Amino acid sequence: MFVNDIESLEIDEKCLKILRALAKIYKAEKFVKISSAHVSGVSYDNIGEEGLEWLKSIKGKVRVYTTLNPAGMDCERWREMGLKEDFYRKQFEILKVFENLGVEMTLTCTPYYVNAPKFGEHLAWAESSAVVYANSLIGARTNRESGISALASAIAGVTPYYGLHMKENRAPTVLVKAKGDLSIVGYKAGIELPSEIPLFVFDRKVSETELKLLSASIAATGNIAMFHAENVTPEWKDFEIPREKVDIEGKFEKICEPDLIAIGCPHCSREELEKILKLLDGRKVKKELWIFTSRKIFEDAKKTVEELEKLGAKVFRDTCMVVSPATERFKCVMVNSGKALEYLPKKRKVEVAFGSLENCVRSAIE
Ligand code: F3S
């Protein structure tokens, strides 16, 4: 399970250096074998020419099952997204490099819907929303890796043993009584408690989708990599209840008139696609409604996708409203995601309106 000496692994020198440096910074005395890696930093819009050159310089192949975060475009429908051929070519080049390294072309921030890790497994995952989901909802163990360190670990098959890989560092540090929209609860918790491990106590039964949205927003505004939830998450009983208490209400008002409604941050599950279809209830959309999911869920839910498209929604794969520059041409984007609420104004310079999934769909048909 552990490796003390990574020098003998015979891997790309740059990857070795990254892992050695991380171990030194975090005082990790050894490395732990990982069952999977998840790599971010895929969109050409994010990593640019320099990132592409760096990726091209990496030698070898990944040693463990490695998944890939969304790119800057739907690989088939990029034209419909309004993207230019130059962008497509560069993005395609990046994807080819990852493919040659042996990375699975999952192109999703929800790798746990493709192949879920098991409780207690050690991972090296980038993509902060997936990190929080894996640690909190599954009980797998990963630190918040960068795209670069996750790739280095994928090539080496190990990651430095520190932080959330160790049980003693996974204890909750603050008790949070939460009510209202969980996406906003996470958004506020990330701001108010940026370096804590919250133990949430909810005032009602919460769904997996709500916890996924919470995982994304808490990691977007804060430096948080895991939480516990009373009677919900697998490790919450393993530790003492923290003394410090905070109340957070998931309420948020920010209104602009949306010209795009974007759902799927993190990528939609099959259940969410079905719920959107149900909410549309046969009514045609009158505004642009973009839904983002993985190619895996797109295939699994093909019928639902077709129904959604018939009603005028666009279901895109491989990308999202934040990592793709395609959303920049809109003025106001309405979302149900606290993560998108945080990132869209910063990355895409658009105004953002927030609403529940129900409100987002209603806005699309009004
Ligand atoms: Fe996923 Fe994009 Fe949101 S990568 S978590 S949909 S910002």
Side-chain angles (χ1 to χ4, degrees):
M1 183 179 177
F2 294 108
V3 174
N4 292 320
D5 169 28
I6 57 167
E7 313 298 320
S8 59
L9 288 178
E10 290 181 13
I11 57 164
D12 181 273
E13 186 60 29
K14 283 187 284 304
C15 294
L16 202 59
K17 268 194 189 155
I18 290 162
L19 294 177
R20 257 198 249 124
L22 271 179
K24 197 171 169 199
I25 293 167
Y26 292 104
K27 300 188 172 51
E29 287 169 5
K30 53 190 174 185
F31 295 81
V32 62
K33 288 190 178 166
I34 52 167
S35 59
S36 70
H38 178 74
V39 178
S40 66
V42 184
S43 173
Y44 179 65
D45 191 65
N46 284 353
I47 70 168
E49 219 40 50
E50 272 181 25
L52 174 56
E53 287 312 311
W54 185 84
L55 283 173
K56 279 190 195 161
S57 74
I58 300 294
K59 312 239 167 4
K61 292 250 180 216
V62 297
R63 290 187 184 197
V64 293
Y65 174 74
T66 303
T67 46
L68 197 62
N69 226 31
M73 62 183 192
D74 182 310
C75 292
E76 285 180 24
R77 299 171 66 182
W78 51 275
R79 275 202 182 86
E80 253 179 87
M81 295 183 82
L83 296 168
K84 299 262 166 14
E85 180 119 16
D86 284 358
F87 184 83
Y88 163 78
R89 287 192 187 289
K90 285 292 177 189
Q91 186 62 76
F92 194 74
E93 211 181 328
I94 292 172
L95 296 181
K96 265 282 149 223
V97 177
F98 278 120
E99 202 168 14
N100 291 336
L101 287 168
V103 176
E104 302 283 328
M105 293 292 105
T106 51
L107 295 168
T108 183
C109 50
T110 56
Y112 40 84
Y113 290 154
V114 180
N115 212 340
K118 294 192 181 65
F119 179 87
E121 279 184 358
H122 293 271
L123 324 170
W125 280 19
E127 174 45 49
S128 60
S129 68
V131 166
V132 178
Y133 190 103
N135 277 318
S136 315
L137 275 73
I138 297 172
R141 299 182 182 192
T142 176
N143 288 316
R144 266 179 84 145
E145 302 293 342
S146 67
I148 290 173
S149 66
L151 183 59
S153 282
I155 301 262
V158 297
T159 190
Y161 186 65
Y162 73 95
L164 293 178
H165 289 285
M166 304 159 92
K167 183 81 180 179
E168 62 266 35
N169 295 330
R170 298 170 67 85
T173 53
V174 56
L175 184 78
V176 181
K177 288 199 159 185
K179 59 180 178 184
D181 187 301
L182 293 204
S183 213
I184 297 301
V185 166
Y187 179 90
K188 288 185 177 173
I191 295 168
E192 286 176 35
L193 314 159
S195 314
E196 306 288 341
I197 299 182
L199 166 58
F200 286 107
V201 177
F202 301 118
D203 65 339
R204 62 192 157 85
K205 199 169 182 300
V206 297
S207 68
E208 182 268 344
T209 301
E210 288 180 285
L211 293 169
K212 177 177 74 168
L213 287 161
L214 169 68
S215 298
S217 56
I218 204 169
T221 52
N223 196 27
I224 294 172
M226 93 171 275
F227 64 80
H228 300 274
E230 187 189 46
N231 293 324
V232 181
T233 55
E235 289 171 271
W236 81 273
K237 261 191 183 164
D238 300 358
F239 305 98
E240 275 181 27
I241 307 283
R243 285 218 194 119
E244 194 193 335
K245 284 191 190 125
V246 176
D247 289 306
I248 295 183
E249 188 177 359
K251 224 169 132 189
F252 189 90
E253 283 199 30
K254 186 161 184 282
I255 299 158
C256 55
E257 189 48 52
D259 48 353
L260 170 68
I261 292 98
I263 299 168
C265 172
H267 276 172
C268 283
S269 63
R270 190 179 181 146
E271 288 70 35
E272 285 170 285
L273 295 179
E274 284 164 1
K275 188 162 179 197
I276 297 167
L277 185 62
K278 205 168 163 205
L279 288 168
L280 283 171
D281 195 22
R283 289 165 294 189
K284 285 246 178 206
V285 304
K286 295 194 179 134
K287 288 187 191 129
E288 289 281 333
L289 170 61
W290 289 11
I291 301 166
F292 296 93
T293 190
S294 63
R295 45 177 73 180
K296 157 91 167 59
I297 299 290
F298 189 97
E299 281 308 314
D300 289 355
K302 216 163 178 92
K303 272 216 144 114
T304 308
V305 169
E306 280 167 16
E307 294 295 317
L308 286 165
E309 294 264 344
K310 265 189 220 156
L311 295 174
K314 293 193 178 102
V315 184
F316 292 121
R317 292 155 282 189
D318 306 334
T319 188
C320 81
M321 68 281 269
V322 173
V323 297
S324 174
T327 38
E328 276 169 10
R329 67 173 188 273
F330 296 94
K331 267 206 167 109
C332 167
V333 183
M334 185 170 187
V335 297
N336 67 332
S337 157
K339 178 167 180 175
L341 179 67
E342 173 70 3
Y343 282 134
L344 272 172
K346 289 182 181 162
K347 298 240 184 204
R348 300 291 152 222
K349 310 279 179 264
V350 292
E351 279 190 77
V352 188
F354 182 88
S356 63
L357 182 65
E358 287 76 4
N359 286 341
C360 285
V361 172
R362 195 173 310 131
S363 182
I365 53 180
E366 266 168 8

